[in-house]
Amino acid sequence: MPGIDECLLEAMTVNGARGAALIEWTSGLALGMAGEVRDEDPEATAAETAELARMAAEQRAFAALGPGGGKSGADDGTDGGTDNGGDDGTNGGGNGDGRDREPAVEDVIITTRTCYHLLRFVDTAFDSGVFFYLWLDRREGNLALARLRLRDLCRGLALL
């Protein structure tokens, strides 16, 4: 299983990739960064991106609802090409106290006139809020392919 540095380097091979980071969303701490930074302050970039991820992850409006309002089964990564900003109900459910082990949101996509910003939540063995951030040049990048590559990278990431 690849570690943080290997995953960041692999993310930078995605067409149009300008920058990548692994960020802990509750503290805003960057666990690793590669490539360019949006501004000259990498710590501020990590903190601002973490704030966005935290807002999306904690919003009840994005809570996972599968068929019948509960868990719907295993996620095989084949969602038919549709994405409503949430997931297919596999991450929801929870333990009844409102605190799920992982956010119901799979990823957050922000588009600007020149860039795509993709935030992908990483499932970890410990109770943590970690996400992978990938910044793409819109002219060179393919958002659908980048999302698939990032999903695969996050599945194989070894966080110890």
Side-chain angles (χ1 to χ4, degrees), residues 75-84 86-88 106 147-148 151:
D75 179 10
D76 63 359
T78 57
D79 60 2
T82 61
D83 186 13
N84 61 2
D87 70 7
D88 61 359
E106 258 183 19
R147 185 173 177 255
L148 292 173
R151 178 199 65 197

Side-chain angles (χ1 to χ4, degrees), residues 50-134:
E51 186 175 339
L52 176 66
R54 185 173 42 257
M55 287 189 312
E58 293 177 348
Q59 292 303 312
R60 291 181 57 170
F62 302 131
L65 293 176
K71 286 188 167 189
S72 64
D75 179 10
D76 63 359
T78 57
D79 60 2
T82 61
D83 186 13
N84 61 2
D87 70 7
D88 61 359
T90 60
N91 294 336
N95 53 18
D97 66 359
R99 297 179 321 193
D100 292 338
R101 195 172 84 69
E102 62 186 68
V105 176
E106 258 183 19
D107 45 38
V108 176
I109 300 168
I110 298 173
T111 60
T112 67
R113 291 183 183 195
T114 60
C115 300
Y116 295 125
H117 301 273
L118 179 57
L119 287 68
R120 177 76 182 198
F121 291 92
V122 178
D123 185 23
T124 60
F126 50 92
D127 190 21
S128 175
V130 177
F131 70 95
F132 209 118
Y133 168 62
L134 183 61

